[in-house]
Amino acid sequence: MTEGVTVAGDEGVADVRRRAGRLLFGLGVVSLALLVSHDGEFWPFSIFPMFSRAGRPWARAVVHEVPGALPPREGFDVRPLEQLPGKVLPLEPYGIEQNDLSTLVQREARWTAGERHALDKMLAPIPCRVPLMVAVVKGSLEGAGPSISAQPVAWFTCEGERARLARTRAFVPSR
Amino acid sequence: MHRLLKELFDFERPETRGALLHYKLFELFLLQYAVRWAWEWGLYIQRLHGVVVPQGIARHLDISFMFTGHVALVNAALITLCAVAVLFHTLPRLTLTLLVPLLHLQYVARHSLGKVAHGSHYVGIGILILAVAAWGLTSPQSRRVFAVGSALFFMGAGYVSAAICKLARTGGEWADGRHLAMWIAEKRVDGFAITGDYDLNWLQQFCADHRSLATAFLAVGLLSELCGFLLWFRRTRVFIALALVGLHLGIYWTMEILFDTYLYQVVLLALPWPALIDRVLARRLPVAQGA
């Protein structure tokens, strides 16, 4: 039974509180130092910047199944979301994280070999039946509300049952 | 400062059974999430090939070994062992000290593609606080009081930081209903991409169609975050906790994002559960004595 037992033990309450205060202060200093030196993020510390950039344009990824041959260069044109070819392939059944895929496609213009490889590996769980298209959907604030547009950024063909990166806006892999 | 410490750390109050049980619940809450995420992240790391955007310790150390073989799963197993050891008070100082860097490594390996998720930070801070308490304080009761009080401190600071980030990056016009419409549209695209479903719920549609209502939602949410420091004070703790619960439910219903651990931890730590548990136990005691 712990009722009626004080926490101080042999130490005075004031001493314990002083020590607790120093520990808390020390934790605070360490967290601030880590945050300042790491752009606000050093798990488990964070400045929690979620939703801080209000009204800024955003970019998210969608994947479509597009039967038929890969389109020509016009296949990378910007268009309304409803005019993306084929039909959406939901990511949830394949365990593909929408946040990770969207983060990749947001940097599409600067993709390196590492990012193309990451994209190729990310879509690997999808059993490929028809070519796949990854598009970036962009939203921006215009007037009273958001304006949405979409643009294909990568095309995948099927090698056996596996989807393989065939073409991006800036890159055609050699096979 | 002295007043703040008295509010956070009530060392004078005798520890009741309710307070002890409450602490055990908090400890279990932290440890089970640590184990769950260790395996969730570990399984996802198996599908990654390396670091694209380094986070945390990965900015200083080469963590490519985390993506070879089953290293991430071995790390998850180690985290599980440490968590079980903490639960059974086996070498708590060592195991708590190991838990923090092992979880950090797992986190930065999982989030190495650039997107940083924030759902695990309060749990991580909680475990770090347990480790600090184990080393810095001698009596188990002081450690428990310190753990709960410090967790409340960092939670309050976290909410205030979130509000300051919003005001710093967007300014006073952050609470503009059009911004909520933008986020709802973004979540709609995400819903479309993840499940093939594209429909908004009634609240999302209402906010998208009524700018003034959406503005009011954002303003109340921002104010709740700014007042997060009220978690530090016993008199205001329950009220701000309820406001923060409302904030998280509002985010869930409009943005379909549930910061579940934040919500549960606010409910767990800020509401007067120890007193309620004591009352229940006191009512049951006459029955036990008469049986």
Side-chain angles (χ1 to χ4, degrees):
Chain A
M1 289 265 285
T2 57
E3 273 180 70
V5 176
T6 62
V7 299
D10 291 336
E11 278 181 292
V13 167
D15 293 328
V16 175
R17 183 171 289 121
R18 220 176 351 258
R19 190 169 335 167
R22 281 199 286 266
L23 289 172
L24 186 61
F25 180 76
L27 263 175
V29 167
V30 166
S31 67
L32 277 173
L34 287 170
L35 291 173
V36 164
S37 56
H38 290 82
D39 302 322
E41 294 288 347
F42 195 97
W43 192 91
F45 302 115
S46 173
I47 57 173
F48 300 104
M50 306 86 87
F51 302 112
S52 59
R53 297 182 196 275
R56 305 276 179 99
W58 46 259
R60 308 301 286 169
V62 292
V63 179
H64 276 219
E65 287 183 309
V66 186
L70 294 189
R73 295 302 297 179
E74 293 74 35
F76 294 108
D77 288 352
V78 178
R79 65 199 74 188
L81 178 59
E82 305 76 42
Q83 289 182 18
L84 282 176
K87 62 174 187 155
V88 70
L89 178 73
L91 300 174
E92 191 170 43
Y94 309 106
I96 297 170
E97 288 288 339
Q98 164 69 344
N99 277 337
D100 288 337
L101 184 59
S102 297
T103 303
L104 266 181
V105 301
Q106 283 163 19
R107 297 198 303 273
E108 176 263 336
R110 307 186 299 277
W111 274 347
T112 62
E115 278 142 326
R116 285 193 296 274
H117 184 49
L119 180 65
D120 193 74
K121 201 158 181 212
M122 196 177 287
L123 266 58
I126 299 174
C128 191
R129 292 176 292 260
V130 298
L132 301 177
M133 174 204 69
V134 177
V136 62
V137 181
K138 293 184 179 177
S140 58
L141 194 57
E142 283 173 27
S147 165
I148 315 287
S149 65
Q151 181 179 22
V153 296
W155 291 87
F156 286 69
T157 51
C158 301
E159 284 186 13
E161 286 192 356
R162 194 199 188 283
R164 280 285 186 194
L165 182 63
R167 189 193 296 168
T168 70
R169 273 202 302 157
F171 178 79
V172 178
S174 56
R175 296 250 186 255
Chain B
M1 187 67 182
H2 180 71
R3 171 149 182 234
L4 175 62
L5 294 180
K6 282 194 86 170
E7 292 282 342
L8 289 172
F9 308 126
D10 192 1
F11 290 116
E12 282 91 355
R13 185 194 291 261
E15 188 181 57
T16 63
R17 283 174 300 176
L20 180 59
L21 267 169
H22 175 249
Y23 173 82
K24 293 290 184 193
L25 270 172
F26 174 49
E27 191 181 68
L28 186 62
F29 169 85
L30 295 176
L31 294 173
Q32 63 87 26
Y33 266 112
V35 170
R36 182 176 133 177
W37 286 329
W39 289 101
E40 228 175 74
W41 297 341
L43 287 167
Y44 196 81
I45 291 165
Q46 296 293 111
R47 294 162 58 177
L48 303 177
H49 84 292
V51 175
V52 176
V53 179
Q55 308 284 345
I57 200 68
R59 285 168 66 159
H60 309 286
L61 294 178
D62 178 6
I63 65 161
S64 56
F65 66 91
M66 289 294 292
F67 304 95
T68 58
H70 300 291
V71 172
L73 297 181
V74 169
N75 194 32
L78 285 173
I79 289 167
T80 306
L81 275 170
C82 288
V84 170
V86 170
L87 201 59
F88 290 101
H89 303 287
T90 307
L91 302 172
R93 278 182 175 174
L94 174 66
T95 46
L96 279 167
T97 306
L98 280 175
L99 257 183
V100 179
L102 291 178
L103 277 168
H104 179 91
L105 198 55
Q106 201 80 332
Y107 177 88
V108 299
R110 159 57 184 95
H111 297 93
S112 54
L113 294 179
K115 178 68 183 178
V116 174
H118 290 90
S120 60
H121 287 59
Y122 281 167
V123 166
I125 289 172
I127 291 173
L128 177 62
I129 286 169
L130 294 186
V132 168
W135 286 100
L137 295 163
T138 47
S139 89
Q141 291 145 328
S142 338
R143 289 174 187 166
R144 290 192 281 266
V145 172
F146 175 80
V148 172
S150 300
L152 281 167
F153 176 82
F154 275 96
M155 284 164 61
Y159 283 111
V160 174
S161 173
I164 293 173
C165 281
K166 292 174 173 71
L167 292 171
R169 290 184 175 180
T170 305
E173 60 268 20
W174 183 89
D176 182 331
R178 294 178 307 156
H179 300 157
L180 184 54
M182 275 283 278
W183 285 318
I184 288 173
E186 185 180 359
K187 286 300 130 190
R188 192 176 177 190
V189 170
D190 279 347
F192 183 61
I194 295 168
T195 65
D197 187 6
Y198 204 69
D199 295 328
L200 298 180
N201 64 41
W202 69 270
L203 184 60
Q204 289 171 323
Q205 194 63 58
F206 205 67
C207 288
D209 295 340
H210 297 84
R211 182 178 167 182
S212 52
L213 181 73
T215 299
F217 273 158
L218 291 181
V220 168
L222 184 62
L223 191 60
S224 301
E225 282 187 332
L226 267 173
C227 295
F229 68 93
L230 293 176
L231 282 172
W232 303 345
F233 305 99
R234 283 195 285 276
R235 240 183 246 179
T236 51
R237 196 168 288 161
V238 172
F239 302 107
I240 191 60
L242 294 175
L244 292 171
V245 166
L247 165 75
H248 284 301
L249 291 177
I251 294 172
Y252 177 58
W253 288 328
T254 55
M255 305 284 295
E256 295 178 23
I257 296 172
L258 183 62
F259 289 95
D260 52 349
T261 57
Y262 291 14
L263 176 64
Y264 303 152
Q265 199 159 320
V266 164
V267 169
L268 184 58
L269 292 185
L271 300 186
W273 299 109
L276 182 63
I277 295 170
D278 283 328
R279 216 170 293 162
V280 169
L281 290 176
R283 273 202 207 121
R284 288 173 66 87
L285 194 60
V287 174
Q289 284 176 341

